Amino acid sequence: MSNTSLPDQPLDAIIVGAGLSGMYQLHTLRDQLGLRVKVLEAADGVGGTWYHNRYPGARCDSESHSYMFYFSQELVQSWEWSERYPQQPEILRYMNHVADFLQLRPDLVFNTRVVAAEFDEPHNLWRITTASGQVWQAKYLITAVGCLSSANVPAIKGLDSFQGQWVHTSAWPHEGVDMRGKRVGVVGTGSTGIQAIPVIAEQAAHLTVFQRTANYSIPARNAPLSEDFKRHVKENAEEIRALMQETPNAHCFRIEPRSALEVTDEERQAIYQAAWDKGGLQFRATFNDLLRDKEANDTAARFIKHKIQQVVHDPQIAALLSDIDHPFAAKRPPIDSHYFETFNRDNVQLVDIRSHPIECIDADGIQTTQAHYPLDTIVFATGFDAMTGSLLRMNISGRGGLALKDAWHAGPRTYLGLQVPGFPNMFTITGPGSPSVLCNLPPQIEQHVNWITDCIAYLQTHGIRQMEADTAASDDWVQQVNEAAHATLLPQVRHSWYLGANVPGKPRVFMPYAGGFARYRGICDDVAAQGYRGFHLIA
Ligand code: NAP
């Protein structure tokens, strides 16, 4: 059987998606449990989000030495990052290195988009239909489709009539987009826009940034890694791994055990300044109550807004950029390379579409309620139908033909973000209800994949045909996810994609588990130790 031809017998497992999750899941099921497994992937290569997000300036905001697998010492020793925050091409090289190192390619099936997955109850099998009409069959269906992989292109009137080129950052053409001599508009100032804007400004003749919500950003202070640091990572891999497993966000830095309100103003200022100079996401680890206490958060918010006003020369532009309506880090906090400085350039203009929304797009550009902006290229950095978009797009139906979109009509309901009641033998890696996007993803992926692998080993050795999350256990978990979110400031954001509020018509449910990675891991381990409490195991 070649890796694209259908096997005669049903497989043990089908994994959908060849990003980090899908690749590691293939490795554990195939090489540790000896199961027959294939990975179906719509793209023509590995990488998932890093395959598609090729926009200018795309890089990781986790530090490189935390954005890699640690389950294998040999794999750690076989790789070296070049920068503190790796760029997309280097991350994609790492992904390909993982595929080669683990000899995964014979079981990766590319150019194969899953368009439907149905649970065949009498045969206890998942039947998975691809865009070309092939039907694959397997006992277990494991979705490894990532949290941020369905583009959110705003439905703006007239987009079809635009005579220039428009692109979404997450579907960037592989041949690139030539911005030289062009009038470019960027819509969106989230993590992606903030990374892309400084680089596009250097290439384009003129750049117009359409800002709906002003955003915080911390300087990344990216730099090449020293030989000493590269050696440090290799020599201390176990310690680095252990640290990431202990911290709430699975990063390799600890949150300082002090309140922003227990130090003097001078001390607080000095702490923020040091974190600003050091750069990166550690800024939010300076105090332990920034995400829980509005008054504490206000101190960080004031510091950053003041920095924006110092960096940006034009007071009106500085005012627009620092008029931020949500607590610091209540949206995923971007880190940047010269984002605010970019607004000091002569070829960059900031347009406030909160006060004057976009009315339509016409052949020549964008029309707001105030003015017309002629453009050759429009870049949508408008984010994703996050966490559920890619799962729902697969048309999954479970027991009794229950469609996932109906099961989730009021928002996603899972048990531990790992299983959905009514969908036996289906597992979701970093699904809604798991810490996922609130964490550095590789450690979380390792944890999820290891849990699923141990679980499948248990099912196989105990002769269990079906495993399915219990409805009451899922309802209780949804409640816990909700309570964890409301113990923080995270739900206080107007258009938060954590809540699904960035996509018109999407139910408002806080999707990621905000109780912290270490706590979550403990809960999952406990559930397994108690014979998979909250799941029905049917022999
Ligand atoms: P995002 O955070 O959802 O930001 C989307 C931006 O587009 C926001 O400024 C939003 O404004 C704006 N927008 C959305 N719809 C719009 C509309 N109809 N009209 C005008 N403006 C609109 O998306 P993202 O920047 O792509 O980031 C998503 C996530 O991807 C991040 O939070 C992060 O987790 C991940 N990411 C990671 C990295 C990395 O380095 N690892 C890099 C980039 C992204 P509002 O705020 O008003 O909605």
Side-chain angles (χ1 to χ4, degrees):
M1 178 182 96
S2 86
N3 63 342
T4 52
S5 60
L6 281 172
D8 305 332
Q9 294 294 318
L11 294 166
D12 294 309
I14 289 279
I15 299 164
V16 186
L20 282 179
S21 341
M23 288 199 289
Y24 181 40
Q25 186 70 80
L26 168 61
H27 169 61
T28 60
L29 293 182
R30 186 192 68 178
D31 303 334
Q32 292 174 11
L33 303 192
L35 299 184
R36 292 168 61 243
V37 187
K38 293 282 177 192
V39 177
L40 307 184
E41 165 60 57
D44 69 359
V46 300
T49 197
W50 297 106
Y51 176 94
H52 297 287
N53 282 264
R54 299 175 187 232
Y55 59 86
R59 61 171 83 238
C60 187
D61 57 11
S62 295
E63 296 202 35
S64 53
H65 65 292
S66 66
Y67 204 80
M68 61 193 287
F69 283 135
Y70 276 87
F71 64 83
S72 151
Q73 265 295 337
E74 293 75 28
L75 183 54
V76 172
Q77 300 304 323
S78 71
W79 184 257
E80 246 171 35
W81 294 107
S82 66
E83 292 181 281
R84 182 176 178 191
Y85 298 101
Q87 295 205 56
Q88 176 271 338
E90 189 174 14
I91 303 173
L92 196 54
R93 278 201 299 281
Y94 174 70
M95 303 277 207
N96 277 285
H97 172 69
V98 170
D100 293 331
F101 189 90
L102 300 173
Q103 300 180 7
L104 300 178
R105 294 199 191 273
D107 295 305
L108 301 173
V109 186
F110 294 120
N111 299 307
T112 301
R113 178 174 291 285
V114 171
V115 294
E118 290 165 16
F119 183 62
D120 171 349
E121 214 165 331
H123 297 96
N124 195 39
L125 284 175
W126 279 96
R127 289 192 203 287
I128 294 132
T129 309
T130 70
S132 69
Q134 283 185 328
V135 182
W136 295 71
Q137 303 181 83
K139 178 173 177 189
Y140 303 107
L141 168 63
I142 302 171
T143 67
V145 291
C147 305
L148 299 162
S149 38
S150 271
N152 172 35
V153 179
I156 301 175
K157 197 173 72 181
L159 177 58
D160 288 350
S161 67
F162 184 56
Q163 292 299 300
Q165 182 182 14
W166 71 265
V167 279
H168 188 278
T169 44
S170 74
W172 203 258
H174 290 199
E175 65 280 11
V177 177
D178 189 0
M179 310 267 183
R180 285 170 305 175
K182 300 275 171 59
R183 298 161 303 174
V184 179
V186 174
V187 183
T189 52
S191 303
T192 302
I194 282 176
Q195 286 186 337
I197 284 163
V199 185
I200 294 176
E202 283 176 7
Q203 298 170 357
H206 189 270
L207 170 63
T208 311
V209 176
F210 296 88
Q211 172 187 280
R212 185 165 72 181
T213 307
N215 214 341
Y216 300 96
S217 185
I218 307 293
R221 313 267 183 230
N222 184 43
L225 293 179
S226 68
E227 292 309 313
D228 275 355
F229 189 80
K230 291 179 193 172
R231 206 167 28 251
H232 163 83
V233 171
K234 287 190 172 173
E235 288 171 1
N236 295 280
E238 280 307 322
E239 290 76 3
I240 292 170
R241 182 182 201 204
L243 175 58
M244 291 193 295
Q245 296 200 343
E246 278 168 32
T247 60
N249 298 106
H251 281 286
C252 27
F253 51 81
R254 288 186 202 283
I255 296 176
E256 294 295 336
R258 63 184 169 211
S259 160
L261 305 176
E262 76 182 42
V263 297
T264 65
D265 289 352
E266 292 72 28
E267 284 166 337
R268 195 186 310 110
Q269 191 69 12
I271 289 167
Y272 283 145
Q273 185 62 50
W276 184 265
D277 293 341
K278 187 166 188 206
L281 292 174
Q282 275 126 303
F283 189 92
R284 71 180 167 182
T286 42
F287 298 103
N288 64 8
D289 51 356
L290 293 184
L291 263 183
R292 282 187 284 112
D293 184 311
K294 179 71 168 54
E295 200 185 335
N297 191 289
D298 284 345
T299 66
R302 274 197 300 274
F303 178 90
I304 301 168
K305 289 177 183 179
H306 183 62
K307 284 289 180 199
I308 299 171
Q309 286 151 10
Q310 282 180 324
V311 169
V312 179
H313 301 158
D314 181 321
Q316 273 183 331
I317 298 174
L320 265 183
L321 288 167
S322 59
D323 184 15
I324 307 173
D325 64 357
H326 52 276
F328 166 64
K331 278 185 172 188
R332 165 115 168 205
I335 61 173
D336 70 274
S337 296
H338 314 300
Y339 174 64
F340 295 114
E341 290 86 340
T342 298
F343 293 92
N344 293 331
R345 294 176 64 109
D346 291 340
N347 69 334
V348 176
Q349 178 181 13
L350 180 67
V351 174
D352 171 16
I353 55 169
R354 168 67 53 84
S355 312
H356 303 286
I358 294 176
E359 259 184 359
C360 64
I361 293 177
D362 59 24
D364 308 316
I366 291 183
Q367 175 73 50
T368 71
T369 54
Q370 188 177 48
H372 184 266
Y373 299 88
L375 299 168
D376 303 304
T377 309
I378 301 174
V379 174
F380 290 107
T382 42
F384 301 89
D385 181 356
M387 304 203 69
T388 54
S390 301
L391 289 168
L392 293 175
R393 224 170 37 177
M394 280 194 288
N395 295 310
I396 301 174
S397 50
R399 199 187 285 290
L402 173 68
L404 187 62
K405 71 172 174 9
D406 294 333
W408 285 2
H409 71 278
R413 305 183 81 73
T414 71
Y415 182 38
L416 303 171
L418 282 161
Q419 263 212 350
V420 184
F423 296 79
N425 294 345
M426 179 178 103
F427 297 89
T428 51
I429 306 178
T430 66
S434 72
S436 56
V437 290
L438 298 177
C439 285
N440 175 36
L441 274 160
Q444 151 112 203
I445 288 168
E446 284 194 19
Q447 183 264 341
H448 254 199
V449 167
N450 291 341
W451 193 95
I452 293 169
T453 306
D454 291 347
C455 173
I456 289 180
Y458 181 93
L459 303 182
Q460 296 288 104
T461 51
H462 288 76
I464 291 163
R465 293 177 71 245
Q466 273 183 23
M467 177 180 196
E468 182 181 343
D470 174 59
T471 304
S474 301
D475 288 349
D476 179 60
W477 182 247
V478 170
Q479 183 63 21
Q480 287 191 49
V481 171
N482 214 19
E483 284 165 12
H486 283 90
T488 71
L489 305 174
L490 293 171
Q492 295 191 8
V493 179
R494 205 170 126 121
H495 291 293
S496 176
W497 59 259
Y498 293 155
L499 271 165
N502 62 329
V503 176
K506 189 166 172 169
R508 306 272 163 113
V509 171
F510 197 87
M511 293 184 284
Y513 174 68
F517 178 53
R519 187 160 142 212
Y520 173 78
R521 201 161 47 86
I523 295 171
C524 292
D525 289 350
D526 239 37
V527 163
Q530 292 172 24
Y532 295 96
R533 188 190 71 226
F535 291 95
H536 298 286
L537 306 182
I538 303 162

